[in-house]
Amino acid sequence: MAGAELTGQATIAGPWRLALRRLRRNRVALAAGASFAVLVAICTVGAPIWVALVAHHGPEYENLSGSISDGGRVVPVVADDGTPIGPGWRGAYLLGADANGRDLLVRVLYGGRTSLVIGLGSAALCLTLALSLALLAGYRRGITDTVIARGLDLIWSFPVYLLAVAIATVLAVNGVHLGPIEIPSDSTLIPIVVIAVVYVPYAARPLRGEVLALREREFVEAAIAHGAGAWRTMTRELLPNVLNTALVLLALIVANNILTEAALSYLGVGVALTTPSWGNIIEAGASSIVTAPMLTIAPGVMIVVAAVSLNVLGDGLRDALDPHGVVRVDR
């Protein structure tokens, strides 16, 4: 009797509600998700508040010949030998300055905006392309599946960073000119598109495998037998059944894309130098890592927090969405 009641409760709850209950019991994954949410809030909401109330200057404000008062002493923002001021318990220049006299904390916060936008935007575009290709290949099969699979294999065969650097270098010089579509070479859309394209196989291949397996299931054959067209079958029958995998992949891809943006910007083919990003800040501070280590440590810590929290959250989502996991539905 108790077993039947438990089964009835689980059936009423539904798979998404059960997954949410699993996730709520995973405190590590919840802490990781909260850490990433706090990071996003600090960079998006906290950055303008900090500038308005404390720093009083934006990320591009240079103060090479300026000075600040630190404990009753007048300290130059950039010393005569070119060494920038280091971190201290003060308002402006809390983490110090860079070689151009720009507030490091302000640049890290606004650079986080750029890196997060690129990471999230490229992940969304990547997953959209991957889902479209996976559904088309898995449903149509035959020559369509062969062409798509070989195209994914071709992209897969290149080292991801080498391919990204090659494409980004070409687009960074010439921009994008496709009929009415024109994207300037310094636009953040360039790294978004480049990173999305190079990671499509990493998402499309596992999704394609799931769609191929689902294509043989009875509920798909029944939908086709009842007259459902290709579009309806793919969107109503196949897509909902691969969304759990896509959700897990989304968290992991965002983490990879943030790291890739930092790598491309560090190599000079990512975000334009006029736009602050975590990768650009690390690249600018690499030459003075001994005399001013905070220039690389501060953005590096932000990248680590974002990547680790997203990977842990992705693992938690995978465990929560596992239909074969053991579920307790009691409160």
Side-chain angles (χ1 to χ4, degrees):
M1 186 68 178
E5 183 180 353
L6 184 63
T7 304
Q9 291 179 2
T11 303
I12 294 173
W16 288 103
R17 183 172 296 180
L18 293 177
L20 180 59
R21 292 182 182 181
R22 290 191 188 99
L23 184 61
R24 283 165 53 188
R25 290 183 174 88
N26 192 337
R27 295 184 179 181
V28 175
L30 290 178
S35 299
F36 183 71
V38 169
L39 181 65
V40 172
I42 289 174
C43 293
T44 56
V45 180
I49 294 177
W50 180 264
V51 167
L53 299 181
V54 180
H56 304 298
H57 48 249
E60 297 303 326
Y61 175 75
E62 297 184 359
N63 195 14
L64 283 169
S65 59
S67 60
I68 62 172
S69 176
D70 187 9
R73 298 181 300 113
V74 177
V75 180
V77 176
V78 180
D80 295 336
D81 60 357
T83 303
I85 189 173
W89 297 106
R90 62 179 77 88
Y93 301 100
L94 182 68
L95 296 181
D98 64 6
N100 292 317
R102 297 174 294 193
D103 193 317
L104 178 58
L105 179 57
V106 173
R107 288 186 60 78
V108 168
L109 293 178
Y110 277 89
R113 283 182 162 193
T114 304
S115 296
L116 291 172
V117 165
I118 292 175
L120 293 169
S122 59
L125 178 58
C126 174
L127 206 56
T128 301
L129 294 174
L131 278 170
S132 301
L133 293 174
L135 290 171
L136 189 60
Y139 178 79
R140 290 294 185 183
R141 298 177 293 188
I143 185 63
T144 303
D145 180 37
T146 301
V147 172
I148 293 176
R150 297 295 78 79
L152 295 175
D153 290 341
L154 179 62
I155 300 176
W156 183 279
S157 63
F158 288 92
V160 61
Y161 285 106
L162 180 61
L163 180 61
V165 168
I167 299 175
T169 301
V170 174
L171 297 182
V173 174
N174 302 318
V176 177
H177 305 279
L178 296 175
I181 301 176
E182 292 191 7
I183 303 177
S185 59
D186 59 348
S187 173
T188 54
L189 288 176
I190 296 294
I192 288 176
V193 172
V194 170
I195 296 172
V197 169
V198 298
Y199 279 113
V200 164
Y202 293 82
R205 286 166 65 97
L207 291 172
R208 168 182 167 271
E210 284 200 21
V211 174
L212 285 171
L214 291 169
R215 180 66 172 79
E216 306 298 329
R217 299 287 294 273
E218 292 80 2
F219 69 91
V220 175
E221 297 295 340
I224 296 174
H226 281 79
W231 175 257
R232 181 182 177 85
T233 303
M234 286 189 289
T235 56
R236 296 289 184 87
E237 306 296 337
L238 295 173
L239 180 60
N241 287 280
V242 297
L243 281 181
N244 53 353
T245 302
L247 185 60
V248 175
L249 287 173
L250 178 63
L252 301 177
I253 291 173
V254 171
N256 280 335
N257 290 2
I258 290 175
L259 293 171
T260 304
E261 180 278 321
L264 293 179
S265 297
Y266 180 82
L267 295 173
V269 292
V271 179
L273 294 176
T274 55
T275 303
S277 75
W278 289 335
N280 279 347
I281 298 171
I282 292 176
E283 189 277 333
S287 59
S288 56
I289 191 171
V290 176
T291 57
M294 190 56 66
L295 295 177
T296 54
I297 291 176
V301 168
M302 301 291 273
I303 293 173
V304 170
V305 171
V308 172
S309 60
L310 284 169
N311 276 282
V312 174
L313 177 61
D315 290 341
L317 289 173
R318 180 197 59 199
D319 295 338
L321 293 168
D322 182 8
H324 303 293
V326 178
V327 184
R328 295 178 57 189
V329 296
D330 56 321
R331 292 183 181 273

